[in-house]
Amino acid sequence: MSEIGSAGPAWGRRGEKVSSIIAREIVRDIAQRKLAPGDMLESESVMLQRYQVARASLREALRILEVHGLIRMKPGPGGGPVVSEVDSAEFGRMATLFFQVQGIQFSELVEARLILEPLIARLAAQRHDPGDNDELRQIVQQGFAAKTDAEWLAASNAFHAKVLSMAGNGLLSIFSRAMKDIFTERASSVYVPRRRDKVRQVHADIADAIIEGKAEVAEQLMREHMSDYAKATAKREPHLMNEVVDWR
C-alpha cells in the first residue's frame, strides 16, 4: 500500500512524516465525530482503509496520540485505541517536556500563576455561569472543613480548579489549570496547618466576590492570596524555586 493514497488525507508540510499527518487526521475525526472519553476508535482495518496508509505508519500515528495522552490502548480481545479524558494534568505533563528543554525554573512557573490566576478570578466574576455558584460554595463550606492535611490540600486544589474553569475562556482555563497541576505535584508540602482559619476565610472571600460579580475585588483577593502562597513556597522550599521544571 502506498503511503497516503489519492483517497487519503492531503499532504502536510514538506518533509513531515506520514505518521504525524495521520495523527492529525485522527484528532480531527475525533473532534468532528464528537467522540467522548471511553469511546473506541475504528478498528485497524477500517482506519487503514480510511487513511490509505501502511500499517506501520498508522500504528506510529496511534503511538504519537497515546504519548500525548489523547488515546489509550485497550488490551485484550475487543481492545484497541480508546479516546482518553483530555485533562489539564496531561496537558501540563506534555508541557513540562518543553519546560525542561528550555530550562524553565519553578520560580517562573510561580510567577506565571501570580499573573494568570488573579486575571482569571476577575474573568470568572464577570463571565461565570451562575449554575457554578453552588458547587463553588460547596467546595468552600465542605471541602475546607476537612480534618486531615490531605483532605485540605484536595479542597484547595478543587477550589482553584473550579475558579480557573469559570473564566469563560477554554484556553486560559486549561493552561492555568495545567500550571496549577504542575505546581501542586511539586510543592504539596507547602501547606502550613496553623493558617487554616485564615486560608479558609480567604477562599470564602474570593468565592463570594466571584459569585457576586465583584471583578476587581476577586482579582485583588486572588492576587494577595497567590502572593502569600508564593512567599510561603519560597520560605518552606527555597531549593525548589531554582529547580528546572522537569518532565515527569
Side-chain angles (χ1 to χ4, degrees):
M1 180 182 295
S2 62
E3 289 287 76
I4 304 188
S6 59
W11 282 98
R13 295 180 292 274
R14 182 181 296 275
E16 185 175 21
K17 294 183 67 174
V18 172
S19 56
S20 296
I21 299 172
I22 299 306
R24 190 162 60 244
E25 288 292 323
I26 294 172
V27 170
R28 184 179 293 116
D29 286 343
I30 290 173
Q32 289 179 344
R33 294 164 61 193
K34 301 185 185 303
L35 297 182
D39 286 346
M40 293 283 297
L41 298 186
E42 296 165 321
S43 67
E44 183 178 86
S45 60
V46 171
M47 284 195 284
L48 287 172
Q49 181 64 33
R50 175 192 288 272
Y51 301 117
Q52 292 291 291
V53 293
R55 182 173 282 103
S57 292
L58 175 62
R59 290 180 175 177
E60 185 177 351
L62 293 173
R63 281 195 292 272
I64 290 171
L65 299 181
E66 185 178 19
V67 167
H68 284 82
L70 297 177
I71 66 168
R72 58 182 174 83
M73 301 305 294
K74 181 181 178 181
V82 180
V83 178
S84 294
E85 181 79 41
V86 180
D87 60 21
S88 57
E90 195 62 43
F91 179 77
R93 179 177 176 272
M94 181 178 64
T96 59
L97 277 167
F98 297 87
F99 294 171
Q100 183 169 3
V101 170
Q102 294 185 5
I104 292 176
Q105 295 182 338
F106 189 79
S107 59
E108 296 174 89
L109 174 69
V110 172
E111 183 178 39
R113 290 193 71 195
L114 275 171
I115 294 169
L116 280 174
E117 295 209 25
L119 170 62
I120 291 174
R122 167 185 279 272
L123 292 176
Q126 294 172 332
R127 302 177 175 180
H128 75 277
D129 182 346
D132 288 327
N133 290 348
D134 287 343
E135 183 178 347
L136 189 60
R137 286 195 185 98
Q138 185 177 30
I139 291 172
V140 173
Q141 295 171 358
Q142 298 183 12
F144 288 102
K147 302 297 184 182
T148 68
D149 289 356
E151 291 172 337
W152 181 277
L153 180 61
S156 179
N157 288 337
F159 175 85
H160 284 271
K162 185 61 182 176
V163 170
L164 296 173
S165 72
M166 295 169 68
N169 184 302
L171 179 58
L172 279 176
S173 176
I174 193 169
F175 183 79
S176 56
R177 290 177 68 182
M179 298 306 99
K180 176 196 70 66
D181 293 335
I182 296 169
F183 179 96
T184 302
E185 182 184 28
R186 290 159 170 77
S188 59
S189 65
V190 172
Y191 163 65
V192 180
R194 295 189 304 274
R195 303 182 64 209
R196 279 194 180 187
D197 290 341
K198 178 181 178 181
V199 175
R200 181 187 294 111
Q201 188 59 52
V202 167
H203 285 88
D205 291 343
I206 294 171
D208 288 343
I210 290 173
I211 290 169
E212 295 168 12
K214 297 178 179 178
E216 290 186 9
V217 175
E219 181 178 10
Q220 182 60 34
L221 289 174
M222 183 64 84
R223 178 173 292 108
E224 293 172 357
H225 171 52
M226 295 305 298
S227 179
D228 288 346
Y229 202 49
K231 291 175 183 176
T233 302
K235 182 178 180 180
R236 185 84 174 256
E237 300 188 35
H239 64 284
L240 183 61
M241 303 300 283
N242 294 324
E243 287 185 2
V244 171
V245 181
D246 59 340
W247 180 44
R248 298 183 184 178

